[in-house]
Amino acid sequence: MEQYKKEFIEFMIDCNVLKFGDFITKSGRKTPFFVNTGFYRTGAQLKRLAEFYAEAINNEFGTDFDVLFGPAYKGIPLSVATTMAIAEIYDEDIRYCSNRKEIKDHGDKGILLGSPIQDGDRVVIIEDVTTAGTSIEETLPIIKAQGDVEVVGMVVSVDRMERGQGKKSALSEIEEKYGFKTTSIVTMKEVVEHLYNRPYKGTVVINDELKKAIDSYYEQYGAQ
């Protein structure tokens, strides 16, 4: 596993973004782990998060694209911070863009924030965690309506590796349905691999009992 992935897993723990226990997901599933990206709350945390995103994007897509699109609302700061990180780390000046939930009819009119999207643009979409596809269904028509645009792919922070609408993962379903690549900074498999029976700051985060609960969860809800 790449070093930045290990550092990102530990970063999530430090930020209280990655938690273990008993939780209920939005879809009603009882889960032994939870990823709450709302706990990235400081400038330093957002800067570091953006650096992890930048490395994941560069590894999968390179920097030969034009626009990083972050769907409202969480995608707005992600697109801004990550284009800044790409500029700083890779010396590539990528444009950022997001959508508004409501179309603005005065001043800077329209549905987009940041850079306009133009014919010929190559776009990467940035999201927080694995999406069930609902956000993409709303986002893609907005991007495509701007002109002859190529969506290169999508990046999320954590792939929960759960079934989407069918038996495959939500990210795999998006790839099949829309024809572009998806990637994540880490997968839950990598999280477990890094933390299982390995002390972090003096504590074993995933012990045998928790590992058993995670395995049981994936037997029921894991993607095939």
Side-chain angles (χ1 to χ4, degrees), residues 56-70:
I57 289 170
N58 183 60
N59 281 356
E60 185 64 37
F61 306 115
T63 57
D64 184 22
F65 63 97
D66 305 291
V67 178
L68 186 63
F69 187 94

Side-chain angles (χ1 to χ4, degrees), residues 32 49 80 171-172:
L49 174 62
V80 173
L171 290 185
S172 294

Side-chain angles (χ1 to χ4, degrees), residues 66-204:
D66 305 291
V67 178
L68 186 63
F69 187 94
Y73 287 102
K74 286 185 178 179
I76 295 173
L78 293 180
S79 65
V80 173
T82 303
T83 51
M84 292 171 68
I86 291 172
E88 182 176 347
I89 298 169
Y90 301 108
D91 196 29
E92 291 289 345
D93 201 17
I94 306 295
R95 287 143 47 208
Y96 74 87
C97 182
S98 296
N99 64 296
R100 293 183 172 96
K101 288 290 188 180
E102 303 83 18
I103 297 176
K104 189 178 178 185
D105 60 4
H106 62 281
D108 182 17
K109 296 181 180 180
I111 197 170
L112 298 183
L113 292 165
S115 170
I117 300 176
Q118 307 162 122
D119 283 350
D121 278 344
R122 304 179 77 241
V123 179
V124 171
I125 300 169
I126 185 169
E127 295 249 32
D128 55 351
V129 291
T130 304
T131 169
T134 307
S135 175
I136 291 298
E137 289 176 2
E138 298 172 355
T139 299
L140 273 181
I142 294 171
I143 296 174
K144 295 288 189 180
Q146 308 309 311
D148 184 12
V149 174
E150 178 190 356
V151 177
V152 177
M154 182 179 77
V155 60
V156 300
S157 61
V158 181
D159 179 0
R160 287 181 60 101
M161 302 180 68
E162 298 173 29
R163 292 199 308 266
Q165 304 300 317
K167 293 183 178 180
K168 294 184 178 181
S169 73
L171 290 185
S172 294
E173 288 178 351
I174 288 169
E175 286 189 349
E176 288 189 0
K177 184 173 182 178
Y178 299 109
F180 56 75
K181 291 194 293 185
T182 62
T183 192
S184 60
I185 302 174
V186 293
T187 66
M188 277 307 299
K189 181 179 179 181
E190 290 169 330
V191 169
V192 173
E193 176 188 331
H194 182 57
L195 295 177
Y196 177 47
N197 277 345
R198 179 179 288 126
Y200 176 62
K201 294 186 175 178
T203 302
V204 173

Side-chain angles (χ1 to χ4, degrees), residues 5-43:
K5 291 176 178 283
K6 298 176 183 179
E7 292 175 3
F8 179 63
I9 293 166
E10 295 168 1
F11 172 71
M12 286 194 292
I13 294 172
D14 290 341
C15 295
N16 291 317
V17 167
L18 175 62
K19 299 181 179 182
F20 296 95
D22 293 312
F23 307 96
I24 303 295
T25 67
K26 187 183 296 185
S27 59
R29 297 173 179 176
K30 185 178 179 181
T31 173
F33 59 89
F34 192 69
V35 180
N36 185 353
T37 57
F39 275 83
Y40 296 124
R41 292 175 173 173
T42 72

